[in-house]
Amino acid sequence: MRKKMLKLVAVSTLALGLSMFQGPQTEANAATTYQVKSGDTLWLIGKKYGVPVQSLLTQNKKSSSQLFVGERLTIPSSLTNAEKDLLARLVNAEAKGEPYAGKVAVASVVLNRVKSDLFPNSVQSVIYQKVGGHYAFTPVQNGEINKPASVEAKRAVNEALAFQGMGNGSLYFYNPKTSTSKWIFSRPVTVTIGNHRFAK
């Protein structure tokens, strides 16, 4: 009995030592697996996890969006929770009082900028970018970005992430009633939602 106890303690100690050596799993390398349930679609799964539908297709080597109940999908890594929170706080500040679709579109502008060669290549660097001595986004300048994001803004970020790669590529948005920039009015308009006009 004593030998068995010593063996158990030794195995437990070894396991604990190995887990401490490996260190905590980061969000970036933590693989998530999802088991498909009745009524699921790639769109709903993408919105739930905040990952592009296109990435779900690629990650799982799928040639169509057909799903089967019980099928296991690997959910690719997307933005970190900190990046999602920052983006949601920007959406909350920029699109407060705007329709939900407008919130999704504001988040999409930031994500499109990250993918564009014309802008920095991370959510944080896009949001905090300075152009001509001024921040690209007013909430960064006036501190509104530091306020907590609403549940709706967080949901809009996940939807924008799921939609990534399927939109019209808007890189700018502005309020035509208050904007004083002649340059922004020269950009091709992609859509108008609420008080915001979106453009390329």
Side-chain angles (χ1 to χ4, degrees), residues 1 19 62 81 113 131 140 146:
M1 179 72 171
S19 67
K62 293 181 78 66
N81 286 336
R113 287 187 180 195
V131 181
V140 177
N146 299 317

Side-chain angles (χ1 to χ4, degrees), residues 34 49 63 66 89 122 175 194:
Y34 179 79
Y49 288 97
S63 56
Q66 186 174 15
R89 285 187 279 125
S122 75
N175 184 332

